[in-house]
Amino acid sequence: MEVVSLANHKSALKRHRQSLVRRMRNRSQRTAMKNIVKKLHSAIESKDKEAVSATLTKATSVIAKTASKGVIPGNTANRTISRLTKRANAVLLAN
């Protein structure tokens, strides 16, 4: 893989390669998080209590892991989890 960048020094070229690898890793983590959140939103809209419960657990885990890896800030993760839990509980506690 040839790296094309403005860097000229050996260490700068290495840092650029590392940033590309980290960028792809972060993008995949963020995409996985967004996909599970979309899945939870669709489960909430369908009002399927079993699906909501299972997906909420998975989504909470994925969001927390994404934050722990530094892809998103911790407060953003906590806020997202809180809002999703609030919406999911409205479905789970409904008669």
Side-chain angles (χ1 to χ4, degrees):
M1 174 174 104
E2 186 178 333
V3 177
V4 179
S5 73
L6 297 175
N8 293 318
H9 297 287
K10 188 175 180 182
S11 60
L13 289 168
K14 180 179 178 181
R15 292 296 296 170
H16 183 66
R17 285 195 310 270
Q18 289 175 332
S19 72
L20 293 176
V21 169
R22 288 190 181 105
R23 177 174 169 259
M24 293 306 294
R25 188 180 308 129
N26 289 345
R27 282 181 66 185
S28 70
Q29 287 283 326
R30 191 181 304 268
T31 302
M33 183 188 73
K34 287 163 78 173
N35 286 341
I36 194 72
V37 169
K38 287 178 196 174
K39 194 173 183 181
L40 178 58
H41 282 304
S42 64
I44 289 171
E45 286 184 19
S46 70
K47 298 185 180 180
D48 180 7
K49 291 185 180 185
E50 292 176 10
V52 169
S53 179
T55 311
L56 177 63
T57 305
K58 178 75 173 158
T60 304
S61 173
V62 170
I63 293 168
K65 283 180 187 174
T66 304
S68 72
K69 292 170 192 274
V71 178
I72 60 171
N75 284 349
T76 302
N78 292 337
R79 183 175 62 247
T80 305
I81 290 170
S82 176
R83 289 176 180 171
L84 290 173
T85 304
K86 189 175 176 182
R87 289 187 65 194
N89 283 342
V91 171
L92 294 172
L93 300 176
N95 290 331

